[in-house]
Amino acid sequence: MSMLSHPWIAFGLELLAPDRCIGCARSRRSRRAPCGLCLPCFSRLRRPPQPACRHCARPIAGLAGLAAPQCGRCRLDPPPFDRLVALWEYRPPLDRVMHGLKFHQLDYLGPELAAVAVDRLAADFADVDLVVPVPLHWRRRWWRGFNQAERIAAPLARQLAIPLAQPLVRRVATQAQARLPRSARLRGPRRAFHLADPGPVAGRRILLVDDVTTTGATLRAAATALQAGGATSVSVFAIGLTPPPGSRSACPRER
């Protein structure tokens, strides 16, 4: 038996370098799951309800069986992207996972989130040519040190064997969305992006990647800039989809 496998030595290593679940802070030893979670916490992550609108991923009642259902709001005001695919609803413990990625430099979470996305949603990404992360404004990136959407998009592109490009520039430093009412969140990002280099985008089918989406206003603005650069289509992927206001157990909005 290896010395490291001795239970007392393993216990000592656990004390020196504990492997704690991001969701509940309990040891993950013997019940490890992806994304820094233990198995019980990972099992609490929930996919968005179905059937759902193809464009905003919000649940729609009474449209089961339709190939591409669309809610009334998106019929009246179609977004500039073809579809929105979200991995999970943004509820606990996903909030702690995303907080660890954004604010605690837990770099391993990006590849692990991407791996789960590829495993569960590969068919949704089969018809894209290019992966593009939603950019941060340069001041926020400088303060944070990185772009969390890029931390997800780069390993996602590698695992899908699809090129990654970063042609978008965020030219407006919008306020943190958590401090704004819904009307301001929808209005704020409209002209926030421009395309620094349309070369990689023209004639390509784009997969636009973000961490968490709330109203979809940021994604609409980014997709509009990509379409203006000649993208033939834009699909959107987010790790988390914030439930509608008033939903039980919804996480605070961060973006």
Side-chain angles (χ1 to χ4, degrees), residues 16 18 70 93 147 155 178 198 246:
L16 292 172
Q70 192 177 28
N147 175 12

Side-chain angles (χ1 to χ4, degrees), residues 9 14 23 44 59 67 77 84 87 95 98 121 132 143 154 156 175 181 194 197-198 234 239-240 243 254-255:
I9 294 177
E14 174 83 4
R44 291 170 57 202
D77 182 21
L84 168 60
L87 185 56
D95 57 337
M98 304 313 296
L121 304 171
V132 174
W143 176 81
L156 183 67
Q175 268 185 278
H194 80 276
D197 178 13
V234 179
I239 295 294
E254 291 185 7
R255 199 170 181 86

